[in-house]
Amino acid sequence: MTPADSQVRVRVYQLDEATTWSDKGVGFCTLEDCQGVLHLNVASEAEVNRLILDCVVQKGEVYQQQEATLIVWTEPTGEDFALSFEEQEGCQSIL
């Protein structure tokens, strides 16, 4: 993953205990360097100043692209997330 210059519209999903993907909302995905640590952030489209997702970008092959517009991964805490991109180009810009 490399920092992207523009925001990319995505829908965030989290796998719940019942192994169902729960919709966490729509927002704009960015990669941000916070004091040398790269973060994947999704700011809510509907609510100003609300982050739907803030994850430290992990090294290695943690992120998997499924289909043209979907990225899934598991956080070190064991939580599973997915980003569904509005456009294929947005998905590629984040990978």
Side-chain angles (χ1 to χ4, degrees), residues 1-4 30-41 54-58 63:
M1 297 178 109
T2 58
T30 58
L31 292 171
E32 297 181 21
D33 186 337
C34 298
Q35 299 177 353
V37 177
L38 194 59
H39 283 251
L40 173 69
N41 294 329
D54 178 13
C55 296
V56 173
V57 173
Q58 302 171 58
Y63 304 92

Side-chain angles (χ1 to χ4, degrees), residues 8 65 68-71 85 87-95:
V8 178
Q65 184 174 356
T69 59
L70 189 67
I71 296 174
F85 291 79
E87 299 177 4
Q88 183 176 352
E89 293 79 21
C91 186
Q92 291 301 316
S93 73
I94 295 297
L95 283 175

Side-chain angles (χ1 to χ4, degrees), residues 36-90:
V37 177
L38 194 59
H39 283 251
L40 173 69
N41 294 329
V42 178
S44 174
E45 180 179 62
E47 298 176 50
V48 177
N49 296 327
R50 177 177 165 253
L51 281 181
I52 298 171
L53 184 67
D54 178 13
C55 296
V56 173
V57 173
Q58 302 171 58
K59 297 189 187 284
E61 296 188 18
V62 176
Y63 304 92
Q64 299 174 358
Q65 184 174 356
Q66 295 182 354
E67 302 178 15
T69 59
L70 189 67
I71 296 174
V72 297
W73 74 97
T74 302
E75 284 290 301
T77 59
E79 297 173 291
D80 292 303
F81 288 96
L83 295 179
S84 177
F85 291 79
E86 187 173 59
E87 299 177 4
Q88 183 176 352
E89 293 79 21

